[in-house]
Amino acid sequence: MADLNSLEDTYTLSNGVEIPIVGFGTWQTPDGEVAKQSVKTAIEAGYRHIDTAAAYGNEDSVGEGIKASGIKRDDLFLTTKLWNDDHGYDSTIKAMDHSLKELDVDYVDLYLIHWPNPVKFRDNWQEVNAETWRAMEDLLESGKTRAIGVSNFRGEHLNELMQTANVTPMVNQIFLNPSDLQPDVVDYNNEYNILSEAYSPLGTGKIFQVPELQEMAKRYNKSVAQLVLRWSLQLGFLPLPKSVHADRIKENTQLFDFEISDDDMKTIDGLHGVAGLATDPDTTDF
């Protein structure tokens, strides 16, 4: 587990690239001034890791927020993702170029395949993923990204990818919070030295209504969000909280002045299903 001292502490990916242990998520953050301001606010609050995706439709505003913060590009870790319609070798290369243009940067730090089995390629997803991954490996080689990985992949999708991959994915970004620990996927990730990134680490807000967490957070004199994000870190995950409110953005950075006891960690681990479960990537309609 990484040292849990500050937002600038890092995990080391399998290729040696360092990734800050908490990221700022931008899913469902509206394009335009809201996205720009929230990213700028997050960087000012100490975040050095920003996560977006082509599908979020806000890459241009995320790029503007980074510029407006005044931070040097090299001091920031930036992730974006390949959308479902763009799988396949040539489409992946084009999609990356489009994302770089939208973000107005020369490279990203991490590029992910967003979903393993889109409707468009459901009949032959294995072959299409192999071609997509070949493009990802070439993008890594070219320096347009410093690391590559996947999102929403389960064991069977990773197994298929490994048949032809020359480079093992460095990250698997999945729905991960006390409501769904996805132990099989996390075990697989751990076995292959793939970092588990936690999107929706606060269960898209539903986690705040859980009485056990409300009571426990009071005991630690912390918010439910702070408690759950700390839990995520203590398990060795990389949480990606999102917010558009300046006070919450700041609050979600204050995770390093307390530690959750083993007993309380176990209690949180036992909250399966309280705030929804991961979407099955093989039955999505997108």
Side-chain angles (χ1 to χ4, degrees):
M1 190 163 66
D3 289 332
L4 300 178
N5 298 317
S6 82
L7 286 184
E8 296 190 33
D9 287 333
T10 57
Y11 295 117
T12 303
L13 299 178
S14 57
N15 67 338
V17 166
E18 293 191 354
I19 181 170
I21 60 176
V22 182
F24 182 69
T26 60
W27 180 47
Q28 294 178 328
T29 300
D31 193 34
E33 198 58 27
V34 174
K36 177 183 171 181
Q37 276 307 320
S38 64
V39 167
K40 179 173 180 278
T41 300
I43 292 168
E44 287 166 353
Y47 282 96
R48 292 296 176 265
H49 176 178
I50 308 293
D51 181 276
T52 185
Y56 302 169
N58 60 15
E59 286 176 313
D60 56 337
S61 302
V62 167
E64 285 171 16
I66 291 168
K67 287 269 191 319
S69 76
I71 196 169
K72 289 203 319 231
R73 168 68 190 92
D74 292 352
D75 291 338
L76 199 68
F77 193 100
L78 180 60
T79 300
T80 194
K81 308 178 195 82
L82 175 78
W83 186 235
N84 293 351
D85 294 345
D86 295 324
H87 287 205
Y89 185 89
D90 292 337
S91 299
T92 299
I93 301 290
K94 277 191 198 132
M96 169 62 108
D97 286 338
H98 182 71
S99 284
L100 292 176
K101 192 172 168 208
E102 289 289 296
L103 288 160
D104 196 17
V105 294
D106 296 328
Y107 69 96
V108 294
D109 297 277
L110 177 62
Y111 198 42
L112 304 177
I113 301 177
H114 207 151
W115 287 89
N117 190 0
V119 166
K120 184 174 175 183
F121 302 109
R122 195 143 284 165
D123 294 341
N124 62 335
W125 62 267
Q126 298 93 331
E127 294 88 340
V128 176
N129 278 354
E131 281 300 291
T132 303
W133 192 249
R134 191 164 63 84
M136 303 283 279
E137 292 176 339
D138 286 351
L139 289 166
L140 179 67
E141 183 72 25
S142 73
K144 287 183 179 177
T145 183
R146 296 172 63 228
I148 52 176
V150 296
S151 182
N152 298 295
F153 275 54
R154 295 184 172 176
E156 63 271 25
H157 308 115
L158 287 161
N159 276 332
E160 285 292 341
L161 200 67
M162 300 291 198
Q163 304 296 317
T164 55
N166 295 310
V167 176
T168 301
M170 291 142 202
V171 167
N172 188 9
Q173 186 179 123
I174 57 177
F175 182 86
L176 205 51
N177 59 59
S179 187
D180 197 348
L181 271 157
Q182 296 209 61
D184 293 347
V185 183
V186 169
D187 285 351
Y188 192 108
N189 291 345
N190 291 341
E191 188 182 337
Y192 288 93
N193 198 16
I194 300 169
L195 177 66
S196 297
E197 277 193 336
Y199 78 76
S200 298
L202 305 174
T204 60
K206 293 180 193 156
I207 219 90
F208 301 125
Q209 312 310 318
V210 179
E212 294 94 330
L213 292 174
Q214 292 172 344
E215 184 197 324
M216 196 184 291
K218 270 196 194 115
R219 273 199 284 115
Y220 283 94
N221 203 21
K222 287 287 175 182
S223 68
V224 170
Q226 289 166 329
L227 180 78
V228 172
L229 293 172
R230 178 72 197 192
W231 166 87
S232 195
L233 287 172
Q234 285 183 213
L235 287 175
F237 304 151
L238 194 160
L240 299 162
K242 70 144 292 236
S243 180
V244 297
H245 304 289
D247 54 343
R248 295 260 175 78
I249 289 171
K250 189 154 194 268
E251 179 188 288
N252 290 346
T253 68
Q254 293 160 349
L255 312 174
F256 304 102
D257 58 352
F258 74 111
E259 185 163 350
I260 303 169
S261 73
D262 290 349
D263 284 349
D264 286 340
M265 287 292 289
K266 286 195 186 90
T267 300
I268 300 173
D269 291 351
L271 294 173
H272 186 76
V274 294
L277 301 174
T279 300
D280 182 345
D282 294 321
T283 59
T284 57
D285 59 0
F286 47 80

